[in-house]
Structure formats: C-alpha cells, structure tokens
Amino acid sequence: MKVLSAAVVSILVPALTSALDPLSTSVIIGAAAASWQLLSPGSWLQCSLLKCCNMKDTLDLSVIKTEFERKVFGQHLAIQIILRALTANIHSKQPRKPLVMSFHGWTGTGKSFVSRILAENLYHHNAARKRFVHHFSTVLHFPHLSRVQLYKEQLQNWIRGNVSACPRSLFIFSEMDQMPHGLIDSIMPFLGYHEEIDNVYYGKAIFIFLNNAGGDKITEITLDHWRRMKKREDIPVKELQSLLSNEIFQNRNSGFFQSQLIQKNLIDYFVPFLPLEYNHVRQCVWEELRAQGHSREEDLISEIALEMTDYPSEERLYSSKGCKTVASRVILSI
C-alpha cells in the first residue's frame, strides 16, 4: 500500500506531468492523503492501475520485427541490437537490472520513430501508454542550468513513483546532447544490479536515451567503410559501439560527458543509427506518399530523394537530415 500510494501521487499531481516544475508541500501532502483513500481495498483506481499495468506485460517481438522491417529504413545494426536486447529482457522473469539503451545518430535517422514503435507495442491502449510511457524532453523539462539540483530530486521521485505503480514502465529521454552535465547521473541508483531499492523493483523498467551526439562519428565510420568499398551491412557492430561509448563520454556536447552511467557500465547498449543513403530516403518518400493516400510516383520520389542526399558535398551519399523533412516536402510537391 505504501509503495502504491507513492506511485499514485506521481500520477495524480498535475504539476509533475507538465514540466517537472517545483511542487508545493501542501499539494504533495494533499495528493498523498487522497491517494490513501483512493487505493483502499476494492478501490476503482487500484484495480484500474493494476489491470492497466498488466494489460501488456510482454512485447510481441515478431510484431515489432515486422514493423521495423516495414517502416524503418537503413538501420540494420540498430534493429539487430534492439531486438536482441528486448529478447533477453522480456524473456527473463526477473531481470537483474533495467534495460538501458542509448540511441545515437544524425537527426532524422529514426531514433524517435523506433522508440515510438516500442512504446506502442509495449502498451497498445492509449490510456495505459499515457500512464506508463514517460517522455522527457531536455528542452522542455530541464531548461534552466540553475535548477539542476531540483531537477535531480524531481527526476528521482518521478521514476520511483512511476515504477512503483507499474514495474514495466518505459522512460524515454530525448535531446540528451542538450542535457545539463551530471543531471542524468542522478538516476544511476535505479539502473544498477539491485533486487530492490526501498522495496521497489526496477528490473522490468526500460530506459531509452536519444542523442544526436556521436552522429558525426557514426557517419565518419560509415563513410570510411564505403570509401574502402566495403558493404554497409559489414560494419562491425561491437567496434562501432565501443568507439561510440568513448566518443560521447569525452564529448562536452553530450549529456553523457564524463557520466558515471558510462564509467560504471550501466548503459547496456549503445545503438548506432547510420546515415541514410539515397535509396533509404526513397523508401521514406514512398512510405509518406502511401500514408497521405497518394499513389506511387517514381519521378517525384526520385526528385525529393535526390534533393535530400547532400553529404559529403562531393559524393552526396547521405542525407544530412535523414528523413526529417520528407513529410513537408511531399506536401509541397503534391
């Protein structure tokens, strides 16, 4: 009861769901008192929370694999790593630690899109997704450097409360390259190898970090591979992950700059999202045309894809924006 009450506070207090703004003591006490009543035996809220959380406690990996293959283009390495990571975590009845993945790559390569696919498949119902899938935007939720200490406390309370309510909670942190240094280390205790912390079990939780930092390094390695006439599919994933880990640890424009999460090996997978080539952008354009209800127009697909393939300036091999602006270009071209 004590754990569930703490969880409901984090769900019921509107201030926490907006931008993690400072909460007054009176609001917290009032919400806590109300939660004790709402979670009494037979309470509709207790039943609703528990059923909602248990609605989809396992991911259908075959469905996710199909969605990746149909909607995510040019990211064989990322898909391979993510599916293996999910398989190991989901098939374990009592994971020893939360699943922690950090997605890296240029904008428009699919980091946010992939995390959305995972969220939709973790909880199919919108109500459950709103309660147990939590998205933190650095620009929105952590905008002031002078308030880092406050953000640390709020972030810990937020994670503790929501995992108490539902062990299979998903936390997505975007714009990690803009996160104040040291802030993300505040959640380190929740990511380690602990059976429980203050009677809360975190092993089923999933943490995903979205980061543009490291994207230039990934592109550099991918381009070098191409110039040596090697296949994109043959890029050694372990070597790339190791280089990526070192790059973001030393990069001041990374939320993981000298982070203890990396020092203590608490990030399970560094997931590289490769730069998109002309053919990948073509696939994005065709998918957008289909989504908007248009027929396949080869000339238009080729025109948009060719315009977006702009890096490096000589070879024009990759799209520096990935598929980020495809939707708007399709709208303007139809």
Side-chain angles (χ1 to χ4, degrees):
M1 176 65 77
K2 180 180 178 181
V3 170
L4 283 172
S5 297
V8 172
V9 171
S10 67
I11 293 174
L12 293 180
V13 179
L16 277 176
T17 62
S18 58
L20 294 179
D21 289 332
L23 302 176
S24 67
T25 304
S26 59
V27 171
I28 297 177
I29 294 175
S35 70
W36 280 99
Q37 298 298 322
L38 289 168
L39 283 171
S40 59
S43 151
W44 67 268
L45 184 56
Q46 183 181 22
C47 295
S48 175
L49 282 172
L50 294 176
K51 289 179 181 177
C52 194
C53 179
N54 291 328
M55 211 179 291
K56 181 107 179 134
D57 192 42
T58 57
L59 286 166
D60 189 333
L61 295 175
S62 62
V63 172
I64 293 181
K65 184 174 185 294
T66 299
E67 288 219 33
F68 282 166
E69 292 173 347
R70 188 166 67 88
K71 299 178 180 179
V72 182
F73 309 119
Q75 302 302 348
H76 67 286
L77 289 182
I79 291 174
Q80 171 187 322
I81 295 169
I82 293 168
L83 287 176
R84 287 181 178 177
L86 289 172
T87 299
N89 180 268
I90 298 299
H91 288 172
S92 174
K93 293 182 179 179
Q94 197 82 355
R96 295 179 58 201
K97 71 180 293 294
L99 173 58
V100 184
M101 296 185 287
S102 187
F103 295 177
H104 297 266
W106 274 357
T107 183
T109 51
K111 301 184 298 295
S112 296
F113 187 52
V114 165
S115 65
R116 186 163 73 245
I117 290 176
L118 295 179
E120 290 172 352
N121 282 276
L122 184 61
Y123 289 107
H124 288 181
H125 297 268
N126 288 333
R129 200 176 305 137
K130 288 178 180 178
R131 286 175 177 170
F132 306 125
V133 176
H134 313 284
H135 182 197
F136 297 93
S137 165
T138 296
V139 174
L140 177 63
H141 294 118
F142 315 116
H144 305 294
L145 291 175
S146 60
R147 297 184 180 180
V148 169
Q149 188 56 43
L150 176 63
Y151 295 151
K152 288 181 178 182
E153 296 172 3
Q154 291 176 330
L155 191 52
Q156 287 180 342
N157 290 335
W158 180 257
I159 291 174
R160 184 184 297 111
N162 281 287
V163 175
S164 298
C166 182
R168 184 66 78 190
S169 290
L170 172 61
F171 300 94
I172 301 171
F173 294 81
S174 63
E175 297 130 2
M176 280 295 299
D177 46 306
Q178 300 184 53
M179 180 166 283
H181 294 161
L183 174 55
I184 201 61
D185 283 348
S186 65
I187 71 171
M188 183 177 63
F190 307 129
L191 306 186
Y193 293 85
H194 307 286
E195 291 189 5
E196 290 184 349
I197 301 177
D198 294 333
N199 298 318
V200 180
Y201 169 64
Y202 293 89
K204 285 189 174 184
I206 300 175
F207 293 80
I208 297 176
F209 304 108
L210 310 182
N211 205 328
N212 289 340
D216 289 345
K217 189 67 172 180
I218 294 170
T219 300
E220 175 189 323
I221 293 171
T222 308
L223 180 59
D224 178 68
H225 213 70
W226 177 81
R227 284 173 172 164
R228 288 190 287 130
M229 302 182 69
K230 293 188 177 182
K231 293 182 179 179
R232 179 187 181 96
E233 290 73 18
D234 294 335
I235 295 175
V237 63
K238 289 185 178 180
E239 178 184 340
L240 184 53
Q241 284 186 304
S242 177
L243 291 171
L244 192 54
S245 171
N246 293 331
E247 167 73 14
I248 64 171
F249 181 75
Q250 298 173 15
N251 188 346
R252 288 185 175 274
N253 295 320
S254 163
F256 292 116
F257 175 64
Q258 296 187 345
S259 170
Q260 293 185 58
L261 270 62
I262 296 179
Q263 285 182 320
K264 296 184 180 298
N265 299 310
L266 296 179
I267 299 177
D268 302 304
Y269 303 94
F270 293 92
V271 183
F273 281 71
L274 306 180
L276 299 184
E277 298 177 356
Y278 170 78
N279 285 332
H280 305 135
V281 180
R282 278 183 55 88
Q283 290 176 291
C284 290
V285 177
W286 163 227
E287 179 64 22
E288 186 60 35
L289 282 170
R290 188 193 62 77
Q292 293 186 23
H294 303 297
S295 58
R296 188 180 183 100
E297 299 184 32
E298 293 295 339
D299 289 344
L300 178 60
I301 293 173
S302 297
E303 178 185 342
I304 294 176
L306 191 60
E307 289 177 356
M308 294 184 64
T309 309
D310 57 2
Y311 182 88
S313 56
E314 293 183 2
E315 290 97 335
R316 297 180 66 87
L317 184 63
Y318 306 124
S319 170
S320 60
K321 296 181 180 178
C323 287
K324 195 77 170 182
T325 61
V326 162
S328 60
R329 288 172 184 259
V330 168
I331 291 173
L332 290 174
S333 302
I334 294 297

